[in-house]
Amino acid sequence: MKLDSFVNTKRLKVSIISLILIILVLSVINSTYYNFTRNELLKQQVEKMKIQATNIKIAIELSQKGEKYVEGMVAQNLRTVSLYAQSNLDPDIEKVSNEKLKELSQNSGIDHITLLKRSGDDIIGYRSSDPKEIGMSSKRWGGHWFRAFHQLFEYKQVVVPQGEILPNFWAGPWSTSSTDPSSVDKWGYYYDGTTNYIIDPYVHDKSIRQYQKDTGVDATIEQMIKNTNIVEVTVFNSPIFLKEKQAYQENGQVWYEDREVLFGKYNLVDHRDAMFVKQALDTNVEKTYETMVNGTDIMKTFFPLNLDAPVVVGLVTDLSSVNSYMNNLQIKMVILIGVTTIVALVVFMLISRYYTKNKEAAVQSVQEVFVGNMDQLFTTLREQRHDFNNHMATINSLVHLKEYEELNKYTKEIVGEITIVNDIINIKSPALSALIQAKITQALKKRITLDHHIINMEQLSLGAIKSTDLVKIISNLIDNAFEAVETLPENERYVELNGCIKQDKLYFSVYNTGTPIPSEQIGKMFEKGFSTKKNSNNSGLGLFIVQRIIKQYKGKILVMPMQEGNKFEIIIPL
């Protein structure tokens, strides 16, 4: 009962450990699959947003082309207004009043008119319908304005890379005013040499903003938000958003300079946005990160647009649908893991039970062989004890008759039997002892001389399976030796078994007299079904089984043909 309890406890522990390992493995697989699937979904989302970013870029480029056309029309209008103002103003700036300029701007439908004149090495606003323009200096303006003014005053064709150039006229690009940074304006500058001043009419950006709203990028963004899972689109004016305006101003960048957001909206703000805009701009590669704004999980992706201006578009995606899908998937995976774990545990228990039954059957088989052979050994001992009186009577009679030669022969036979039994008892492995006793008895019946020399077996520690394998190996080798000598005359039938342990290796050898094995047969002897005994019941499996078992223990078997017999030696590392 204690043994059964121990076995059951051990089996329970193995089952629990196996269950834990199965759960861990399945959990790792589940986690890996979850992360892989989610990352793939996010990658697909980024690819979709990349397409949308491309659409925005195309919209901006088309809008720019349209705006160029609108700007050209505005420039033409400003030149017309300049000619209208020239025809209604005195050529001497000192004789022109600010009220007159205000009247002309209202009559011509523009916002303001300013007159510029030289003042030392500067060009300043001297008269204007807008009081803030009076006295302004243009010397430190960024871009190409100051150079264009000088070219006009020198009555030369304006040569600058921006704006619209017409005869005696140059219109600068849309830009913020130095006197009113909140306003984005379009200025025209006219000078034909008939006055001592440059006529500077200008308009605010209402017209261009209305154009953009109706047909430009903002209209594209609105449609995009309606038809996709994108919740916000922001086209960042990088120099302003990143607080790098001065560096761009020095290079003449004037495209809506003071607006952080050129198109779209920027309500879902995160403190890391500027860092990712900068990285996207510097590396020219999209940048993505996940965050939570106003309690909603979102993914922000920033794409550099590679336009004439340093522009980055930020696309925000609501991750609710992705998270909902992944949560449902996670629930299904947990259910699958649970079912798989139960099935795996049941299968494992069935296999374990089957394995245990086979193991117990093997142990029982060895025990039966051991018990049977030990019974035979004890029977032999009882027989020797029972025959002791008969032996003594026989010895006494031989002494009385003075048959000393016969007495010597008789006593040698008795001593031989006792020595065999004592040698068997001195073998420390019960399974080996039983096997050798059985083979001795078998040898006596077949009139075969079987010698055995087993030493150092006290170092051998074998479990049930190893005992079974050792019995199979030695019994097959001895049976083969018996079959080999059975055809010989009785006085030549000799088999010798040797075994020892040295240097952590188990050595066994079986020698038998007879004809040496031909060298061409040695390689075939271990093949399944091979046998040289044509007319016997030998199945040809003995040496095949021996070699297979020895390989399991990383051992080797040697076949050594000799002058008057053959020797098989096995070596197994312990």
Side-chain angles (χ1 to χ4, degrees):
M1 293 297 293
K2 289 183 178 179
L3 179 59
D4 291 340
S5 177
F6 172 77
V7 172
N8 290 332
T9 302
K10 186 174 182 180
R11 187 180 300 169
L12 179 61
K13 288 182 178 179
V14 171
S15 299
I16 292 174
I17 293 173
S18 300
L19 178 61
I20 293 173
L21 288 175
I22 290 171
I23 292 174
L24 286 175
V25 170
L26 292 176
S27 297
V28 170
I29 293 173
N30 178 41
S31 178
T32 303
Y33 178 74
Y34 178 89
N35 291 328
F36 173 80
T37 303
R38 192 173 191 277
N39 289 336
E40 287 301 310
L41 288 175
L42 294 181
K43 285 180 182 179
Q44 292 177 12
Q45 193 64 37
V46 171
E47 289 301 315
K48 291 179 181 178
M49 287 194 291
K50 187 179 291 186
I51 295 173
Q52 300 301 339
T54 302
N55 291 336
I56 292 173
K57 178 183 177 182
I58 294 172
I60 291 176
E61 289 174 338
L62 293 175
S63 179
Q64 284 180 322
K65 290 180 180 179
E67 288 168 11
K68 287 291 184 184
Y69 176 76
V70 173
E71 283 193 62
M73 293 179 62
V74 173
Q76 289 280 4
N77 185 51
L78 291 175
R79 186 174 185 278
T80 301
V81 171
S82 298
L83 293 173
Y84 167 72
Q86 183 187 45
S87 65
N88 287 277
L89 293 175
D90 192 285
D92 184 4
I93 196 170
E94 298 296 338
K95 297 178 181 179
V96 178
S97 67
N98 296 326
E99 288 73 15
K100 182 63 175 177
L101 295 176
K102 188 172 184 180
E103 178 187 343
L104 289 176
S105 62
Q106 290 175 348
N107 292 338
S108 59
I110 62 172
D111 291 297
H112 291 288
I113 298 176
T114 298
L115 303 182
L116 305 177
K117 63 169 280 188
R118 292 181 185 271
S119 178
D121 60 351
D122 196 0
I123 297 174
I124 65 172
Y126 194 73
R127 295 283 188 268
S128 178
S129 60
D130 184 0
K132 291 183 292 184
E133 294 280 308
I134 299 173
M136 68 174 183
S137 170
S138 64
K139 186 176 181 180
R140 297 183 180 178
W141 287 1
H144 310 288
W145 269 261
F146 197 65
R147 183 155 57 96
F149 297 160
H150 275 288
Q151 291 174 357
L152 285 172
F153 269 127
E154 292 171 4
Y155 204 56
K156 296 179 180 178
Q157 182 73 17
V158 175
V159 182
V160 292
Q162 290 180 315
E164 291 77 30
I165 301 173
L166 298 171
N168 304 319
F169 180 85
W170 176 71
W174 291 96
S175 185
T176 54
S177 169
S178 61
T179 58
D180 184 9
S182 63
S183 176
V184 177
D185 302 328
K186 178 76 172 178
W187 289 275
Y189 303 96
Y190 180 84
Y191 181 79
D192 62 0
T194 61
T195 62
N196 59 357
Y197 51 86
I198 293 175
I199 301 173
D200 170 23
Y202 61 94
V203 293
H204 296 320
D205 64 345
K206 294 177 183 178
S207 57
I208 195 69
R209 280 297 168 186
Q210 188 62 40
Y211 172 82
Q212 290 171 346
K213 183 178 180 181
D214 295 340
T215 62
V217 182
D218 285 324
T220 301
I221 290 173
E222 286 182 10
Q223 290 298 317
M224 186 180 298
I225 293 175
K226 284 182 181 179
N227 300 326
T228 67
N229 62 342
I230 296 173
V231 296
E232 185 176 82
V233 178
T234 310
V235 180
F236 292 98
N237 185 10
S238 301
I240 305 303
F241 184 72
L242 299 176
K243 314 302 181 188
E244 298 176 352
K245 174 182 177 181
Q246 186 62 35
Y248 286 90
Q249 271 189 330
E250 292 174 357
N251 293 325
Q253 177 58 49
V254 293
W255 190 38
Y256 302 113
E257 290 176 359
D258 291 318
R259 297 176 184 270
E260 287 191 349
V261 177
L262 298 176
F263 305 103
K265 297 179 181 179
Y266 184 46
N267 298 322
L268 302 176
V269 179
D270 188 281
H271 68 279
R272 292 170 289 180
D273 290 344
M275 177 182 68
F276 281 94
V277 169
K278 179 69 173 175
Q279 290 178 1
L281 200 61
D282 291 344
T283 62
N284 200 33
V285 176
E286 71 270 9
K287 298 297 176 180
T288 300
Y289 76 97
E290 295 180 42
T291 185
M292 178 179 286
V293 178
N294 300 328
T296 303
D297 289 324
I298 59 175
M299 180 173 69
K300 289 194 168 192
T301 307
F302 301 89
F303 297 90
L305 293 189
N306 297 319
L307 297 170
D308 295 337
V311 176
V312 174
V313 60
L315 301 175
V316 181
T317 306
D318 188 347
L319 294 181
S320 299
S321 59
V322 173
N323 291 338
S324 177
Y325 173 81
M326 293 309 301
N327 289 336
N328 291 334
L329 180 63
Q330 183 77 343
I331 293 172
K332 293 178 182 178
M333 288 298 296
V334 169
I335 294 173
L336 178 62
I337 286 176
V339 174
T340 305
T341 302
I342 294 172
V343 173
L345 183 60
V346 170
V347 172
F348 173 79
M349 291 179 67
L350 292 175
I351 294 174
S352 177
R353 182 173 294 180
Y354 174 78
Y355 173 76
T356 303
K357 284 184 177 180
N358 286 348
K359 184 176 179 180
E360 290 173 351
V363 173
Q364 185 176 359
S365 175
V366 174
Q367 288 177 343
E368 288 174 356
V369 173
F370 171 70
V371 171
N373 289 331
M374 289 303 294
D375 286 344
Q376 188 173 2
L377 175 61
F378 292 140
T379 299
T380 302
L381 291 174
R382 286 194 295 269
E383 289 174 354
Q384 288 184 352
R385 181 178 178 184
H386 180 268
D387 293 339
F388 181 73
N389 291 332
N390 293 330
H391 289 317
M392 293 304 297
T394 301
I395 291 171
N396 184 55
S397 297
L398 290 173
V399 171
H400 180 73
L401 295 173
K402 297 183 181 181
E403 295 288 342
Y404 298 117
E405 185 176 349
E406 189 66 27
L407 175 63
N408 183 47
K409 181 179 178 181
Y410 187 77
T411 53
K412 280 184 178 180
E413 290 179 357
I414 295 173
V415 172
E417 290 181 5
I418 296 172
T419 301
I420 288 172
V421 174
N422 288 337
D423 288 345
I424 293 172
I425 293 173
N426 288 331
I427 298 174
K428 302 300 182 182
S429 171
L432 265 179
S433 299
L435 174 65
I436 293 173
Q437 173 58 36
K439 294 305 177 184
I440 289 173
T441 302
Q442 188 179 354
L444 289 174
K445 290 180 181 179
K446 295 184 177 185
R447 299 184 182 279
I448 298 172
T449 301
L450 173 61
D451 284 345
H452 66 277
H453 307 282
I454 311 296
I455 59 174
N456 297 335
M457 285 297 125
E458 64 274 3
Q459 301 178 29
L460 186 63
S461 176
L462 297 175
I465 298 300
K466 286 192 174 180
S467 295
T468 305
D469 291 341
L470 188 58
V471 167
K472 288 180 182 178
I473 292 171
I474 296 174
S475 62
N476 273 296
L477 291 178
I478 293 177
D479 288 344
N480 282 354
F482 282 179
E483 289 183 9
V485 299
E486 278 181 329
T487 59
L488 300 175
E490 289 185 12
N491 62 338
E492 296 180 10
R493 298 175 185 176
Y494 178 74
V495 176
E496 181 179 336
L497 171 67
N498 293 292
C500 67
I501 295 177
K502 57 182 179 180
Q503 297 178 347
D504 295 327
K505 291 182 180 178
L506 175 64
Y507 293 84
F508 267 100
S509 65
V510 176
Y511 168 80
N512 65 270
T513 55
T515 304
I517 299 171
S519 59
E520 63 271 14
Q521 289 186 2
I522 293 177
K524 300 179 179 179
M525 294 180 66
F526 301 100
E527 295 178 1
K528 188 175 182 179
F530 178 81
S531 176
T532 58
K533 305 172 183 65
K534 306 276 186 191
N535 299 320
S536 69
N537 295 323
N538 191 290
S539 63
L541 295 175
L543 291 177
F544 171 76
I545 293 172
V546 168
Q547 186 184 52
R548 185 183 64 186
I549 295 173
I550 290 173
K551 283 184 177 180
Q552 291 177 358
Y553 294 97
K554 301 188 186 323
K556 59 183 178 179
I557 181 169
L558 305 175
V559 182
M560 294 173 281
M562 297 183 175
Q563 188 173 359
E564 296 181 353
N566 298 285
K567 181 179 180 181
F568 288 77
E569 183 176 29
I570 65 168
I571 305 171
I572 298 176
L574 300 177

